Every structure is written in structure tokens, then in C-alpha cells.
């Protein structure tokens, strides 16, 4: 088994919303989430196996992977939060440039069987999470999703992946929560059903609720990123002058992009349009609007993003709940 260092959960705390000033997050500021530890992989011994419902199995060395057609893309990379507290907003968010090769072309070369519907992906990490012994971190995604720019990435922000980000190669599923982008990738298996390990069935499976908040009994995999936004400026507790215009700006994102954003200076009573820029690749989108505070005292700035199909952020109770920033007007 691959040695891990550390061999226990490892993470880097995210930047606070007011620190997300850069369009592309620097690697040293990017989020890091490792459930079981950080495998130390030997790049010369590493191979990627593609098997399951395919006519041609494939075993690639790192050299062979890197000789395949290269693709780069900028993508929002968001942790959905702890699988033990799935409705808690954490705003662990990063926007980075990935370099690698497209999974769709690799899978096409393996000649998938028409019955294949899912791709299972396994990482080399192993250990205990939430009291459960796991011999690998295994996730899955629908096979028809791989056309949407899914990469096997070996670079982040123009440099080889760091050990904690999945060196030597990882999956990147743009538009899906980070948990699906399996690091230290060693195997992809095509299957006609979902994977049944703890990271697909027990955790990362949202409880669906009816309008009154009661569980319906159904669950939904934590795949697609729900619309979300953060206010970068003003920062929390910033002091603003009454009657003076201030730019309220931030980032908005969703699987498929956002089509509208709004800000509120009165805790959600009235909203002002804060048009987001058009989306480039799978990156987050900047939004901005001016706000002129009229009254002295404490105010709460809110922002919310909308998608083309009419979805918006809830006020509370979900990982993508509205971000609020308290400011003081003097
Ligand atoms: N093999 C493996 N892949 C993994 C994880 C992990 O623990 N093991 N963590 C996932 C989670 S929860 C997230 S949010 C992202 C984080 O990627 P990063 O650490 O490169 O930011 O990796 C995902 N891929
Ligand atoms: Mo995560």
C-alpha cells in the first residue's frame, strides 16, 4: 500500500471571502482536503488502469499520460463541506487553472461497452474516516458527464500537482463539487451502476427535503455545484460613510454558470441587479454593483446568484446559503 504522510485527515483552511481578490487563486492559498492523509506516490511506479465495461483495458504510465493531447482549463474548485455536516456553508472555494488530458478521449480509446453508465474512480489513499475502514477513496460520476471537459490533470496553475493536490495525477470534474475530483488517481472502472463504497453511499448523499423542510426519504448524490456567491468587498466590519457610493463586488458560480446576481443592502428586503460577467470556461464570474448607504448604523449586505433554469440561493439551511457581510455606516 502507498505510504501516507500524514496518515490522518489533512486540510488547509480556505481564504476568507474578503481575501479572494485574485481571479486565479495562488496554489499556496488553494483549499486542501484530504480525508485519509497524503499518499506519497512514486511517479516512476505510478500507473493508471482503465477497466470494467470496456473492450480494451488500458494501463498508462505517467509518461504515456503526458504524451496524450494536452488541455488546460480554468475552473472553480469547491469543497461541499464536511460530509458529516452537509447543510453547513463552509465557502471552501478556489478558482484555479488545471493542465492535463481529456478523459473522454481516453475512454473512447478503451471502446466502452454500450451498457456502461458510470465511471468509478479510485485514489491511492486508505485508512479510517468517520469510524469506517476504507481501502481506497472511491467516487463515481455519470459516463455522459465526461464530455463536459473532465480532465485527468497533472498540473495546477502551470506546475506539477503538489503531493497534497493529488500528485502525480487526479481527476478534475468541472462543475461538480471537489469531492468528485479524485486525487492520487490509480484506477477508472466503467460500470452499469453506481459505486457502493462509503464515499458514494453513506457520505456525499444529500437528504432531499420538501417545502416545509421535512426529509422526503429520497437522497441525491453530491455532484453538481448549486448556485453560490461570495462578497469580496466590502469586508466584514468595514466602516462606510453615509451617502457615499461603494462598490460591492464578489464572485458567483454554479455548474453551468450563473446568469444573474443581485445584492441587498437591507438584509434581503430589496435587491439590486449586480450583473455577472460572462463565464469563461468553468471559472467563477465577477459581479459588481454600487451601493449608497442612506442610514447610519449596522447593515447587512447580502448577495445571491441565479442560474438559467431559475435556481437561486436559499437564505439559510443549505451549503449554498446566502453570504452575509455586516458593515457599519457612519
Ligand atoms: N483520493 C482522494 N481524492 C480526494 C479527496 C480525498 O480525500 N482522497 N478529497 C476530496 C475532497 S472532499 C475535495 S474538496 C477535493 C479537494 O481537492 P484539493 O485538496 O486539491 O483542493 O479533493 C477530493 N478528492
Ligand atoms: Mo471536500
Amino acid at each position: 500500500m502507498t505510504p501516507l504522510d500524514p496518515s490522518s485527515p489533512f486540510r488547509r483552511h480556505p481564504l476568507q471571502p474578503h481575501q479572494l481578490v485574485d481571479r486565479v487563486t495562488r496554489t499556496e492559498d488553494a483549499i486542501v482536503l484530504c480525508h485519509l492523509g497524503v499518499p506519497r506516490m512514486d511517479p516512476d511506479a505510478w500507473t493508471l488502469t482503465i477497466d470494467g465495461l470496456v473492450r480494451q483495458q488500458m494501463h498508462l504510465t505517467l509518461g504515456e499520460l503526458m504524451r496524450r493531447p494536452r488541455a488546460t482549463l480554468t475552473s472553480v474548485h469547491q469543497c461541499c463541506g464536511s460530509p458529516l455536516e452537509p447543510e453547513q456553508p463552509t465557502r471552501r472555494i478556489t478558482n484555479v487553472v488545471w493542465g492535463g488530458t481529456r478523459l473522454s478521449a481516453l475512454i473512447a480509446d478503451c471502446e466502452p461497452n454500450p451498457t456502461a453508465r458510470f465511471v468509478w474512480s479510485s485514489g491511492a489513499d486508505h485508512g479510517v474516516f468517520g469510524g469506517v475502514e476504507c481501502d481506497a477513496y472511491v467516487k463515481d460520476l455519470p459516463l455522459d458527464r465526461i464530455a463536459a471537459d473532465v480532465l485527468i490533470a497533472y498540473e495546477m496553475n502551470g506546475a506539477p500537482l503538489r503531493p497534497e493536490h493529488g500528485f502525480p495525477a487526479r481527476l478534475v470534474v468541472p462543475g461538480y463539487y471537489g469531492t468528485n475530483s479524485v486525487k492520487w488517481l490509480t484506477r477508472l472502472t466503467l460500470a452499469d451502476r453506481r459505486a457502493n463504497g462509503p464515499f458514494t453511499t453513506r457520505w456525499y448523499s444529500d437528504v432531499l427535503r420538501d417545502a416545509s423542510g421535512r426529509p422526503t426519504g429520497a437522497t441525491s448524490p453530491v455532484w453538481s455545484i448549486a448556485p453560490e456567491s461570495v462578497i469580496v468587498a466590502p469586508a466584514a466590519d468595514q466602516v462606510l460613510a453615509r451617502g457615499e457610493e461603494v462598490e460591492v463586488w464578489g464572485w458567483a458560480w454554479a455548474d453551468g454558470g450563473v446568469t444573474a446576481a443581485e445584492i441587498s443592502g437591507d438584509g434581503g428586503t430589496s435587491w439590486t441587479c449586480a450583473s455577472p460577467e460572462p463565464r469563461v470556461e468553468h471559472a467563477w464570474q465577477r459581479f459588481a454593483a454600487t451601493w449608497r448607504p442612506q442610514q447610519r448604523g449596522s447593515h447587512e449586505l447580502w448577495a445571491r446568484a441565479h442560474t438559467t433554469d431559475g435556481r437561486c440561493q436559499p437564505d439559510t439551511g443549505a451549503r449554498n446559503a446566502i453570504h452575509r457581510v455586516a458593515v457599519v455606516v457612519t
Side-chain angles (χ1 to χ4, degrees), residues 30-36 77-80 98 123-125 137 156 164-166 170 178-184 204:
I31 57 165
V32 172
L33 267 301
C34 309
H35 290 85
L36 307 165
H77 177 56
Q78 181 179 18
C79 172
C80 68
W98 302 104
D125 44 339
Y137 182 82
M156 184 174 160
E164 65 271 29
H165 289 297
R170 72 178 300 168
T179 170
N180 301 289
S181 292
V182 171
K183 304 191 273 191
W184 316 288
Y204 297 110

Side-chain angles (χ1 to χ4, degrees), residues 240-246 291-296 329-330:
L240 306 172
R242 186 175 69 97
E244 265 178 39
E245 265 190 3
V246 55
W291 180 58
R292 193 194 293 271
Q294 304 291 3
Q295 278 164 23
R296 290 199 169 87
V329 176
T330 57

Side-chain angles (χ1 to χ4, degrees), residues 74 174-175 252-258 276-285:
T74 306
W253 65 93
D255 183 17
V258 304
E277 63 186 6
R279 187 170 66 129
V280 177
E281 296 175 348
H282 299 271
W284 55 19
Q285 296 161 257

Side-chain angles (χ1 to χ4, degrees), residues 41 43 58 68 73 109 138 152 229 242 276 299-300 330:
M41 308 286 285
M58 219 187 255
R68 294 190 59 95
L73 61 85
D109 288 354
V138 180
I152 299 183
S229 56
R242 186 175 69 97
H299 293 257
E300 224 175 47
T330 57

Side-chain angles (χ1 to χ4, degrees), residues 92-105:
R92 297 174 186 157
I93 176 77
T94 292
N95 188 62
V96 289
V97 184
W98 302 104
T101 192
R102 281 187 208 281
L103 178 60
S104 53

Side-chain angles (χ1 to χ4, degrees), residues 27-316:
T27 302
E28 52 271 39
D29 292 332
I31 57 165
V32 172
L33 267 301
C34 309
H35 290 85
L36 307 165
V38 179
R40 301 290 158 166
M41 308 286 285
D42 173 358
D44 299 323
W46 179 88
T47 57
L48 174 65
T49 299
I50 306 179
D51 62 7
L53 297 173
V54 291
R55 193 180 291 179
Q56 304 287 340
Q57 283 201 7
M58 219 187 255
H59 302 278
L60 287 166
T61 64
L62 186 58
E64 287 164 343
L65 183 79
M66 292 175 73
R67 279 193 291 278
R68 294 190 59 95
R70 192 183 140 74
T72 60
L73 61 85
T74 306
S75 176
V76 144
H77 177 56
Q78 181 179 18
C79 172
C80 68
S82 167
L84 310 176
E85 287 180 312
E87 292 171 2
Q88 201 56 41
T90 55
R91 304 192 180 90
R92 297 174 186 157
I93 176 77
T94 292
N95 188 62
V96 289
V97 184
W98 302 104
T101 192
R102 281 187 208 281
L103 178 60
S104 53
L106 257 178
I107 300 263
D109 288 354
C110 297
E111 300 175 45
N113 185 315
T115 57
R117 288 180 52 224
F118 295 94
V119 184
W120 301 358
S121 44
S122 312
D125 44 339
H126 49 85
V128 178
F129 180 79
V132 178
E133 178 77 43
C134 316
D135 8 299
Y137 182 82
V138 180
K139 298 293 296 182
D140 61 14
L141 74 150
L143 182 60
D144 57 16
R145 178 77 193 194
I146 66 173
D149 287 344
V150 175
L151 291 188
I152 299 183
Y154 43 81
E155 286 172 2
M156 184 174 160
N157 290 340
L161 290 177
R162 292 185 177 186
E164 65 271 29
H165 289 297
F167 178 81
R170 72 178 300 168
L171 204 61
V172 170
V173 188
Y176 272 20
Y177 285 104
T179 170
N180 301 289
S181 292
V182 171
K183 304 191 273 191
W184 316 288
L185 186 67
T186 55
R187 183 179 295 269
L188 294 165
T189 302
L190 272 68
D192 58 5
R193 66 188 81 107
R194 294 203 59 205
N196 64 2
F199 292 101
T200 49
T201 52
R202 178 172 182 148
W203 303 303
Y204 297 110
S205 191
D206 279 343
V207 170
L208 299 181
R209 297 180 185 279
D210 63 19
S212 61
R214 271 191 296 273
T216 62
T219 59
S220 165
V222 176
W223 281 338
S224 193
I225 298 181
E228 199 168 334
S229 56
V230 285
I231 296 170
V232 177
D237 302 326
Q238 200 167 315
V239 178
L240 306 172
R242 186 175 69 97
E244 265 178 39
E245 265 190 3
V246 55
E247 185 187 48
V248 179
W249 78 271
W251 305 108
W253 65 93
D255 183 17
V258 304
T259 47
E262 294 166 294
I263 60 146
S264 171
D266 53 16
T269 309
S270 64
W271 292 92
T272 306
C273 191
S275 300
E277 63 186 6
R279 187 170 66 129
V280 177
E281 296 175 348
H282 299 271
W284 55 19
Q285 296 161 257
R286 191 182 195 277
F287 66 84
T290 49
W291 180 58
R292 193 194 293 271
Q294 304 291 3
Q295 278 164 23
R296 290 199 169 87
S298 303
H299 293 257
E300 224 175 47
L301 288 166
W302 292 19
R304 66 181 184 193
H306 301 258
T307 55
T308 350
D309 58 3
R311 283 172 305 129
C312 182
Q313 297 180 239
D315 287 4
T316 53

